[in-house]
Structure formats: structure tokens, C-alpha cells
Amino acid sequence: MAGGADNAPALEGRRRGLAGLIPGSRKRSRDLALIWLFLAPSLAIFAIYRIVPLIWNAVLSFQFWSPYKPAEFAGLYHYEEMLFYDDAFWQTLWNTLIFMASAPVGIVFALAVALLVDTNIRGRNVYRTIFFMSYPVMTVAVGIIWQWLFNENVGLINYVLIELGIIDRGIPFLESFDWALPSVILASIWQVIGFYMIILLTGLQSIPPSLYEAAAIDGANALQRFRRITLPLIRPSLFLCFVVGIINSFTAFDLIFVMTGGGPGHATDLLITYIYSIAFRLSKFDYAAAITVVNFLLFLALAFLANRLAGGEAGAVKTGG
Amino acid sequence: MRKLAIALAAGAATLAMTLHPGSASAQEKKITVMTWNIPYFTEGFDKWVAAFKKVHPDFEVERIDMKGTELPTFYQTQVVAGTPPDIVDVQGGLWLQYASQGGLKNLDPYLERDKDYTDRINPQILDNWKYEGHHYGVPLYISKTLLFLNRNMMKEAGITEDPTSFDEIMADAEKMTGGENTGFMTLNFDWLYWPLFAMNGVEFVGDDGKAAFNTPEAVALVKRLADLTEKGVINKISWTGRWVEPNGAFAAGNVGMLHAHAPAFLWFKSKADWVNDESVGAMNMPGGWSTPNSHSLVLSEGSKWPEEAWDFMKIATSGDGAYAMGTGTNNLTGDMQVNEKLMGYFKENLPAVVPILETQLQDLDKLTGNWPFAQDAAIKDAFYPELQAALLGEKSAEDALSEAERKVNRILQRR
């Protein structure tokens, strides 16, 4: 693992290798300058498109600002507004958390599918393809497809439910305050489940069969093998899926925008759609910046938490022999 | 190494010079016109440009057409970038938030100076773009709400007379409801539903500048609308759809009445064979109440060529330019003389729209929902979700209106 004591010789070897090629400190510093020169465009782009907007957004959140007039210092005005007076902010925050909490549901389902298509069933490649097919579909197309499926009068889901005698009149899934968010979440899970499945399948296939054989010889049943071998060894894959799920809940703009526009009321608005709406529909960029800061901090906290849950080594790269 | 560094520096300098927007381009004599979702309007636009070039032969005109959902975002990013389009076509109350923040030019000096132009424009229509005593827009094409009647369904339900009051509208709607059929539907964006409240005597704000809609009458009305929605008399799409959904539902032929603005007619006519001037009737809402949803041209405060842009705006919104707009989009304009000519054109070429367009010039003193709030969008955003919750049975009418009142008053009071 990076930074681990076991990697020290490898890193030292690399360092010495580089130094060995460059005799003399002057040449070394010239080469370092060259390295920085090559890195500079990427760093500049990163700074311009990531760091500067982030800082500027934070500054903006403490100002009264619009595209049409000079900025004025606002102190904590926008934060006070957001925390104490804006019900819609709390609702969209809550919706975002619900959206995020739905990620494990999708992951569990994807794991079940991955376990199924990892067995020696006939046509498993076809099943894998079918399950994966939803992922490359454009999100806008996914939104439109599910909009039709959920339609109160002509939607397939209502048709099936009525035919089965479960309901006697169509449910307005996307127009109902109770059903709209679960419906959008279902569409979101459907889209990403193929991706989760592939990631988890990769994890499953990297587990040496000898481990299962040894466990079976020791008398472990299927559930024990799953709990003691499969789950621990696919933890990095599960972590990746969870991170993707979190990111998805913070960026699921297009699906919401197409399916419900955030409505009814703010029933399906997430923080990201609310920020857009505040900034570009209401022209309140300063207030939107304050919500963005909260969004960013929340995202940061969750990424940190996820990293800790993954053992504090997420993103670490194994180097050396 | 040295050669490489020189080469990199030279490359960077070339790139910077290529990308830099200054120097030559800054001197370019060009005005930019951004239109709202009329990409098909090319012939008329070319006529505007030709007329403009007769006055300003050294100027170029760039046109950008955006969908309504994208235009505000694009416009504001251009403002931030310091390159706003000189002229923008805006719908409804969108201009208010730009004008109130100083983003648009006050057109009063131009209107006072160019009397020949101003005298052609209907003053009641022109006043739609008045904020704090100043005009910020001139009418490009006009539209306001009216009631479309599905005559086939009325006939089936035994209704022989058009409704003359809110109660009659709802009574007729109940008669037409059953099975797949619903009796009434309205558009809900941009305050287009407000005539339903206005005709029941509900005011949005009082003379004291505070919310005035939380009254027993308003509560009773919201309860009634919610009840009729629950029963299917009012189509639920009224409160959830935007534009395509309700108009599409009316085109399907199983909605008795549609409260919408005039351009809806040609939209649903294009989607449904059954729509013609006999099968679809048009009338002003009882009492004459309507909400305007007209389009105007506004002039960006950041325009580098305001005089030239104003000349272009005059060309586009009066005389031959307005006529080109009217015939090109099947609408009436703000120019009273041109409207007479346009009605003649429609009678000859598109008689089905004549009854609809006739309503657009009537009862201009009964316009509602066009309050000049600086924070129009924020007020809509505070009010409508509460109303929607009540109409869809999520909240009681009392709670929803009280909550809406609190939120609206807070917006009206804050900066």
C-alpha cells in the first residue's frame, strides 16, 4: 500500500534510479523544471476549472451579488436564510439524503444479479449484457422512457397493476407527492444497476476459487462462504459502487429535470436541481452559492466517511513489487 | 531543452492571441439578437436584417435562437462573461428580475424621443413591461389566456350555451366528465391559472404591498378546485404539467375545456385531426379576466451599441417588421395598425385562428397575474408549490394558503 513500510524500498529504488540517470544537482533541477513545465498545463486547467470556482463560490456565498450589479458584503445572510427560513432547502437536502440512501438498495440488487451471472448458468453472457444495457443509455432517454412507464393513463406499470387487480385506477406516480421520489429513485437504480453489476462481477471473478474449495473442505456452508470470503474480498468493489451511488445522488440532475422538473412542489428536487433553479430561474447566484457550499461540505463529509469505512485506504495505489 | 522551452512559450503565446477576445473583435460593429424558440422564423428575420442594414449598412446582425428552458441560463452566463446579447426576446415576467437588478436599459428616453414609433404601439400592451414607472420592453408578439371549448364534448353532454361564470364553467365541466373524459384543464406556469382566482374576487397583493390572497373566499375556492380535481372533473395535469402535457391532453380530444394562451391552438391543432374552427370554440374567460404571456424585446444594459439595437427593435416590432413577425408566427403584435392588416391576412389565409386572435385584443383592462414584482420568479416559487400541494390533496387549503402567505410576505419584504 502507498506509504506503507513495505513499499519504501521500491520508492527508494525509483528515486535512486532517477537520480542515477541525472548526474549532478543542476541537471536534476533542470529536469525537475521540465517535469513541472509539462505538468503546468494540467495544473493550470485544474486550478482554473476546479480550485478557482470553488474559492469564488465560497466568496460569493458571503456576498449580495448578481450578474447585473456590483457585489456587496452580506455576511451570513444567505446561510441564515437557508438554515432558518427556506423550507425548500431542507426538503431538497432530505431528498438528496434519501436518494443517497437508496444506493445500497441498488447495490444489493446488483450483487444478487452479479452472483447469479457469475454461476455457470446457460447464456450468462447474454444476461450480463442485458443487465448492463441500461447503463450506456443516455440519462435523458432513461427519463423519458420511465416517464411513459409511470404515466397515469397510458403507462405500462399502471396497466399491469390494473390488469393484475392490484389497483383499480392508475396511480399518478410522477404527479403524486408520495410516489414521485420513489419513482425517480427506481429509474435511477435501474439505470446504474448494470454498472454496479459489472464492477461487482469483476470483484467476484478476482476471488481465487481455491479459497472456496478450502472453505468447503473445512465444512463452511454457502452462507458462511459468502460472509467470510465473498463479502470481505469484494469490499473494494462495493466501496466503489457506494461512492458512485453517492456521486449519483449529488449529480442526478438530468434524470430529475426530465422526469419531474423537481416537482410536484419540491417533492423530487435534489440539492443540485434546487441550486440550478435558484441560480438560473430566480437569478439568485449568491444564495445558490451558499447552498453549493453546504452541498460541497456534505459531499466532502460523506466521501471522508466512505473512505474511513473502506479502511482509510480508498484510492490508494499499490506500488513496487 | 532551451529550444523546447522557446517552442512551448511560442505555442502558448500563439494560443493566447488566438483566444483573446480583445483587439480586432472588440471594434466589430455587430449587434446580437437572441430569440425565444422561433428557429423557423428565418424569412422574417432576414427582412428585419435587410431593413436594419438600410439604416446601418456597416453593422452585422448575429442571431441566436434558444429554447425557453435554456434561454435564461444562457443569457445570464453571457451577462457574467461581459458579452450579453444586445437584444433579447423574453416571455412572461422573466424580464422583471433582469430589469429590477439593473440588467436592462430603461426604454423611456427612446420611447419619448421616437414618438412615431411609440404612437403605433398599444399603450395597454406596452405597459406590460413597466417596472417602477419605466418601460423595459416593447411587444414582439402578444398572447393572453382564453378558454378553448371542445364543442364535440359539449354537444355529447347536451351543453348548448357557452359558460358565462366560474360556476357555469365548473358545472359544464362536471357534465362532461366521465370515463376517460375530464371537464376542465388549465395551464399553470407564469401565473396563467390566476384568472380562476381573479374571477372569484381573490387579489394576490393588497394596496399595502402585502399578500392578500389568504381569505375565506380563496380557501373555499382552493377547496373546491381540489375537490373537483380529486373527482376528475379538473384534469390533474392542470396542476402538474407545464405546456406540452396539458396541450397534448387537450389534443387527445377527451378534455372539455382548456384554459390556455392563444398559441396553444395551433400547437394542438397540429397534433389532432379533429381540431378545426367548428370543433374548438374560443372565448374570453367570464368577466374578461386573462393573464398575458406576451413576448417582448428588451435591450441589455451591457449592450455596446444601444442606439443601433434600439433601431433594430423598432424595425422588428412595428410596420413591415411586425407584419413579418405576425405572419411568420401566426400572432398579433403590439402595433395597432399592423394588427388590422394581420387580421385581414388571417381571415384570408388561416380563418381558424381568427376567433382566437380576436380575443387577444379584447378586455385589455382585465389583465391579471402580471404584477411587476422584482422577485416575480421567487414569489411564484414560494406560492405555487403550496397551492399545488392543496390542489393535489397533500395539504389543507387553510394550511397551504397560510404557509404561502408567510413565504410570499417574506419575499416581498426582503431585499
Side-chain angles (χ1 to χ4, degrees):
Chain A
M1 299 293 166
D6 51 341
N7 287 331
L11 291 171
E12 181 59 20
R14 279 188 175 191
R15 194 186 60 75
R16 272 194 280 114
L18 191 65
L21 288 171
I22 311 163
S25 63
R26 202 170 150 215
K27 182 160 174 40
R28 202 158 45 233
S29 55
R30 273 168 54 188
D31 275 51
L32 270 174
L34 185 64
I35 289 167
W36 279 110
L37 196 63
F38 279 118
L39 278 175
S42 308
L43 290 175
I45 288 169
F46 184 74
I48 291 168
Y49 289 102
R50 290 283 186 270
I51 308 296
V52 172
L54 208 62
I55 295 168
W56 193 63
N57 182 83
V59 171
L60 197 62
S61 72
F62 296 103
Q63 292 181 332
F64 293 116
W65 184 91
S66 92
Y68 314 99
K69 53 187 178 189
E72 279 176 61
F73 182 67
L76 294 171
Y77 180 90
H78 301 306
Y79 291 94
E80 187 190 342
E81 178 72 23
M82 176 175 44
L83 298 173
F84 300 111
Y85 300 102
D86 188 355
D87 301 344
F89 162 74
W90 289 107
Q91 184 171 0
T92 55
L93 176 63
W94 180 239
N95 290 347
T96 305
L97 294 174
I98 292 174
F99 208 93
M100 200 178 61
S102 72
V105 178
I107 294 168
V108 168
F109 192 70
L111 179 60
V113 174
L115 286 166
L116 277 175
V117 297
D118 192 38
T119 58
N120 286 325
I121 52 168
R122 266 182 78 181
R124 60 182 179 170
N125 286 334
V126 177
Y127 297 135
R128 287 174 188 174
T129 310
I130 289 171
F131 273 102
F132 187 70
M133 271 168 68
S134 63
Y135 187 65
V137 178
M138 272 195 309
T139 309
V140 172
V142 171
I144 293 169
I145 290 166
W146 280 92
Q147 220 179 9
W148 280 107
L149 287 172
F150 282 129
N151 187 283
E152 182 180 0
N153 300 312
V154 296
L156 184 66
I157 294 171
N158 273 314
Y159 175 78
V160 171
L161 292 174
I162 290 169
E163 287 297 307
L164 291 174
I166 297 169
I167 54 173
D168 53 8
R169 60 189 272 198
I171 298 170
F173 286 104
L174 298 178
E175 290 83 35
S176 153
F177 281 83
D178 300 323
W179 285 102
L181 188 61
S183 304
V184 173
I185 287 172
L186 180 65
S188 170
I189 288 176
W190 178 83
Q191 190 189 14
V192 81
I193 205 160
F195 176 75
Y196 289 160
M197 183 206 68
I198 289 293
I199 298 295
L200 294 171
L201 190 62
T202 312
L204 288 172
Q205 291 181 343
S206 67
I207 301 173
S210 58
L211 292 178
Y212 291 113
E213 288 161 12
I217 290 166
D218 289 342
N221 61 27
L223 185 64
Q224 285 169 325
R225 289 199 296 272
F226 177 72
R227 284 184 53 216
R228 304 285 180 176
I229 300 172
T230 310
L231 271 186
L233 291 179
I234 61 165
R235 199 173 67 168
S237 305
L238 286 170
F239 171 75
L240 178 61
C241 291
F242 186 62
V243 169
V244 169
I246 292 177
I247 293 171
N248 197 29
S249 62
F250 278 89
T251 58
F253 178 86
D254 31 13
L255 192 68
I256 302 282
F257 198 74
V258 171
M259 285 184 75
T260 62
H266 292 286
T268 55
D269 252 335
L270 303 181
L271 279 174
I272 189 77
T273 53
Y274 189 53
I275 288 166
Y276 172 82
S277 182
I278 292 283
F280 291 104
R281 270 196 328 104
L282 308 190
S283 298
K284 291 160 75 79
F285 292 89
D286 42 13
Y287 186 50
I291 303 175
T292 306
V293 168
V294 172
N295 192 40
F296 174 71
L297 293 175
L298 184 66
F299 189 77
L300 208 63
L302 287 165
F304 177 76
L305 189 69
N307 191 26
R308 289 301 295 262
L309 289 174
E313 294 163 343
V317 180
K318 224 172 193 174
T319 57
Chain B
M1 177 68 194
R2 197 174 159 197
K3 279 180 188 169
L4 180 67
I6 291 169
L8 280 171
T14 311
L15 190 68
M17 283 171 72
T18 312
L19 296 176
H20 191 259
S23 59
S25 62
Q27 304 305 318
E28 198 177 359
K29 289 187 169 179
K30 183 179 85 174
I31 59 166
T32 305
V33 182
M34 187 156 70
T35 53
W36 180 298
N37 203 22
I38 45 171
Y40 55 87
F41 182 69
T42 50
E43 202 180 313
F45 194 87
D46 290 344
K47 283 181 185 167
W48 292 353
V49 175
F52 176 73
K53 285 210 166 211
K54 279 183 188 166
V55 189
H56 299 287
D58 49 344
F59 268 77
E60 293 298 319
V61 179
E62 180 190 35
R63 182 192 181 185
I64 304 167
D65 188 81
M66 304 291 290
K67 285 184 178 173
T69 47
E70 296 158 7
L71 186 142
T73 307
F74 180 80
Y75 177 62
Q76 289 175 101
T77 52
Q78 293 301 299
V79 171
V80 175
T83 55
D86 299 270
I87 301 167
V88 188
D89 164 5
V90 289
Q91 181 187 268
L94 184 64
W95 65 278
L96 274 162
Q97 62 201 56
Y98 304 154
S100 63
Q101 296 182 49
L104 303 181
K105 280 221 183 293
N106 171 8
L107 299 180
D108 283 351
Y110 300 96
L111 290 166
E112 281 159 20
R113 185 188 68 195
D114 296 339
K115 281 281 177 199
D116 288 351
Y117 167 80
T118 311
D119 288 346
R120 297 178 71 110
I121 308 299
N122 184 317
Q124 284 175 303
I125 293 172
L126 186 63
D127 283 353
N128 265 313
W129 295 279
K130 203 170 180 180
Y131 172 71
E132 292 190 341
H134 304 296
H135 292 91
Y136 288 92
V138 287
L140 179 61
Y141 60 93
I142 60 166
S143 78
K144 65 187 188 84
T145 50
L146 68 148
L147 190 65
F148 293 105
L149 306 161
N150 181 334
R151 296 257 182 239
N152 298 338
M153 281 180 65
M154 287 174 76
K155 201 173 167 187
E156 280 169 28
I159 301 164
T160 52
E161 300 287 323
D162 291 349
T164 57
S165 67
F166 178 80
D167 288 340
E168 282 187 24
I169 290 175
M170 293 304 144
D172 287 351
E174 282 199 77
K175 285 181 198 161
M176 288 188 275
T177 301
E180 298 276 294
N181 294 353
T182 50
F184 179 83
M185 189 158 58
T186 181
L187 300 192
N188 67 58
F189 67 91
D190 283 356
W191 303 111
L192 292 193
Y193 57 91
W194 195 258
L196 299 175
F197 286 77
M199 63 200 296
N200 279 284
V202 181
E203 300 272 351
F204 192 79
V205 281
D207 294 335
D208 58 357
K210 289 183 181 170
F213 53 77
N214 189 11
T215 60
E217 292 77 22
V219 170
L221 174 64
V222 172
K223 278 183 178 170
R224 188 171 175 194
L225 292 172
D227 181 49
L228 291 169
T229 305
E230 173 63 25
K231 287 179 182 162
V233 175
I234 296 177
N235 194 306
K236 215 171 272 173
I237 295 174
S238 297
W239 316 123
T240 57
R242 188 172 160 79
W243 197 76
V244 173
E245 298 90 344
N247 289 338
F250 189 75
N254 53 10
V255 176
M257 288 174 270
L258 172 68
H259 177 233
H261 57 341
F265 177 75
L266 286 175
W267 193 91
F268 58 69
K269 188 175 186 296
S270 71
K271 306 284 175 197
D273 293 339
W274 67 272
V275 175
N276 56 51
D277 47 351
E278 284 182 10
S279 61
V280 174
M283 59 176 279
N284 283 307
M285 283 292 253
W289 294 106
S290 66
T291 299
N293 201 242
S294 304
H295 281 243
S296 65
L297 292 183
V298 296
L299 180 51
S300 291
E301 182 62 45
S303 169
K304 292 181 178 69
W305 308 102
E307 285 295 333
E308 291 75 9
W310 170 247
D311 285 343
F312 190 92
M313 288 165 71
K314 284 192 296 180
I315 287 166
T317 58
S318 65
D320 291 343
Y323 185 74
M325 182 78 227
T327 53
T329 64
N330 298 319
N331 283 297
L332 294 177
T333 69
D335 185 325
M336 294 178 288
Q337 295 169 36
V338 167
N339 283 345
E340 283 176 28
K341 200 173 150 193
L342 280 171
M343 288 306 279
Y345 166 85
F346 291 126
K347 276 175 188 159
E348 198 171 311
N349 297 288
L350 202 57
V353 302
V354 171
I356 290 121
L357 293 181
E358 278 171 347
T359 66
Q360 302 298 289
L361 296 172
Q362 297 162 352
D363 296 320
L364 291 175
D365 57 336
K366 291 290 183 69
L367 299 177
T368 185
N370 56 341
W371 311 288
F373 297 134
Q375 301 205 50
D376 180 64
I379 291 172
K380 273 183 217 150
D381 207 48
F383 180 79
Y384 190 68
E386 293 298 332
L387 177 67
Q388 190 187 33
L391 293 169
L392 294 174
E394 181 72 11
K395 264 187 177 180
S396 71
E398 288 90 347
D399 288 352
L401 290 181
S402 295
E403 191 62 15
E405 182 183 34
R406 183 185 69 78
K407 289 180 179 175
V408 168
N409 277 336
R410 180 162 167 75
I411 296 170
L412 288 171
Q413 284 160 17
R414 78 181 178 210
R415 57 178 293 151

